[in-house]
């Protein structure tokens, strides 16, 4: 929300491969490999623990920004990496 995202932003919840750095790929999976395989709001995706949407949002926001926010909430040893 601080970076312009809205809970009503729409994403696709489907298997996705992200190139994160230096040609390395990251392919998050949802629990039980369950996907809606369609459009889903950010609010619903986070409520249903859609890892694909969470990673897409983190990459759009900036991994370092997400790591910094986690540190503000008291999490230790947070790396700017989408896992």
């Amino acid at each position: 929300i601080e970076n312009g995202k809205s809970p009503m932003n729409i994403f696709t919840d489907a298997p996705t491969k992200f190139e994160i750095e230096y040609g390395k790929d990251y392919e998050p999976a949802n629990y039980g490999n369950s996907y809606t395989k369609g459009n889903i709001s950010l609010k619903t995706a986070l409520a249903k623990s859609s890892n694909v949407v969470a990673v897409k949002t983190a990459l759009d926001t900036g991994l370092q920004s997400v790591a910094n926010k986690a540190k503000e909430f008291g999490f230790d040893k947070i790396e700017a990496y989408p896992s």
Side-chain angles (χ1 to χ4, degrees), residues 1-6 9 57-58 60-62 64-66 69:
I1 293 175
E2 291 178 6
N3 291 328
K5 295 288 183 211
S6 162
N9 283 125
T57 302
D60 288 350
T61 301
Q64 192 59 57
S65 294
V66 174
K69 185 57 70 178

Side-chain angles (χ1 to χ4, degrees), residues 1-68:
I1 293 175
E2 291 178 6
N3 291 328
K5 295 288 183 211
S6 162
M8 301 315 296
N9 283 125
I10 301 297
F11 293 87
T12 300
D13 181 37
T16 305
K17 186 183 296 185
F18 297 96
E19 184 177 326
I20 52 168
E21 62 181 31
Y22 310 113
K24 292 182 182 177
D25 292 333
Y26 180 64
E27 198 167 355
N30 293 341
Y31 178 77
N33 287 320
S34 175
Y35 301 90
T36 61
K37 295 186 176 142
N39 293 334
I40 189 171
S41 71
L42 178 59
K43 178 181 176 180
T44 301
L46 295 177
K48 292 183 177 250
S49 298
S50 169
N51 293 321
V52 171
V53 174
V55 169
K56 173 74 172 140
T57 302
L59 290 172
D60 288 350
T61 301
L63 296 177
Q64 192 59 57
S65 294
V66 174
N68 291 342

Side-chain angles (χ1 to χ4, degrees), residues 67 71 74-80:
K71 288 176 185 175
F75 291 93
D76 293 336
K77 300 177 185 176
I78 300 296
E79 296 182 29

